[in-house]
């Protein structure tokens, strides 16, 4: 995350939303069930449904774009899209560079998958996706962190022996462990971050207010909890 923040900080904060006709929603498209590309190459998943509903309630015309995770904050700041909706946990470090709406999920437990239940999580080699709260957590422990650009690569590192385990959102890891007999979820979990929110440029206060109000309305009428349950994201509000 450190390199991500330094890169973003070096960019000029001049790209503003200014209530443009179309709001561009930036996502990774590679982190199911939060976001992924379906068989038609379209953005799908929990965040697709949440994002579409938020735009409807905020009376915004929105379009979806995809961006690799490791440059997702710099490309928001530079104006390539207006909102990040990509399973991004709210952290103080990120909040120094961009702004966040209120959270639209509770903090999701982070879990480990490995090929053995007796893996050394405290002193072993642990894989995580670059620029994530999981990578920051591992770096603060006695374990050796190995980072990869995509979540798929972190899992592959365990399969091919480059890493002893992967730390990522448990919601992402559980289906992988369920489908692969060689991998297992480890009992130990980590509670990190303040839940997931929409990321915006610091200058886009008007857009943030509209989206905050839309998120709150979805919390108030239960529709957000319904989507959380549908996609098995975690605890509701």
């Amino acid at each position: 995350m450190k390199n991500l923040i330094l890169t973003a900080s070096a960019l000029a904060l001049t790209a503003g939303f200014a209530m443009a006709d179309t709001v561009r929603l930036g996502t990774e498209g590679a982190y199911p069930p939060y976001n992924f590309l379906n068989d038609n190459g379209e953005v799908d998943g929990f965040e697709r449904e949440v994002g579409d509903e938020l735009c409807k309630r905020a009376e915004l015309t929105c379009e979806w774009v995809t961006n690799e995770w490791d440059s997702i904050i710099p490309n928001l700041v530079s104006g390539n899209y207006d909102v990040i909706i990509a399973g991004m946990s709210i952290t103080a470090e990120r909040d120094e560079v961009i702004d966040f709406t209120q959270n639209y999920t509770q903090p999701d437990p982070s879990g480990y998958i490995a090929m053995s239940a007796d893996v050394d999580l405290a002193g072993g080699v642990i894989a995580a996706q670059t620029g994530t709260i999981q990578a920051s957590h591992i770096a603060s422990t006695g374990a050796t962190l190995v980072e990869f650009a995509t979540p798929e690569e972190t899992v592959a590192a365990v399969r091919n022996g480059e890493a002893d385990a992967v730390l990522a959102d448990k919601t992402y890891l559980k289906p992988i462990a369920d489908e692969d007999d060689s991998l297992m979820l480890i009992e130990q979990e980590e509670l990190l971050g303040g839940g997931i929110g929409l990321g915006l440029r610091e200058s886009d206060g008007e857009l943030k207010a509209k989206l905050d109000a839309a998120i709150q309305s979805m919390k108030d009428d239960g529709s957000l909890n319904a989507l959380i349950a549908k996609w098995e994201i975690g605890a509701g509000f």
Side-chain angles (χ1 to χ4, degrees), residues 127-149:
Q129 187 176 13
T130 301
T132 61
I133 56 173
Q134 290 85 7
S136 295
H137 173 75
I138 297 166
S140 70
T141 71
T144 298
L145 168 66
V146 288
E147 297 180 87
F148 297 89

Side-chain angles (χ1 to χ4, degrees), residues 46-47 50 54 83-85 88-91 95 99-107 194-200 205 207-221 224-225 228 237:
F46 168 69
E47 288 175 315
V50 170
L54 291 177
V83 178
I84 293 174
I85 176 169
M88 180 171 284
S89 295
I90 300 168
T91 68
D95 200 37
D99 207 353
F100 283 99
T101 63
Q102 63 175 295
N103 61 330
Y104 56 88
T105 76
Q106 302 280 20
I196 294 170
L198 301 173
L200 302 97
L207 177 58
K208 176 187 173 182
K210 284 178 173 288
L211 292 171
D212 261 331
I215 293 170
Q216 189 61 54
S217 73
M218 290 187 70
K219 290 179 177 179
D220 292 344
D221 67 15
L224 184 55
N225 279 346
I228 288 171
F237 292 94

Side-chain angles (χ1 to χ4, degrees), residues 29 40 55 57 151 202:
N40 296 321
C55 288
R57 293 182 184 222
E202 295 279 2

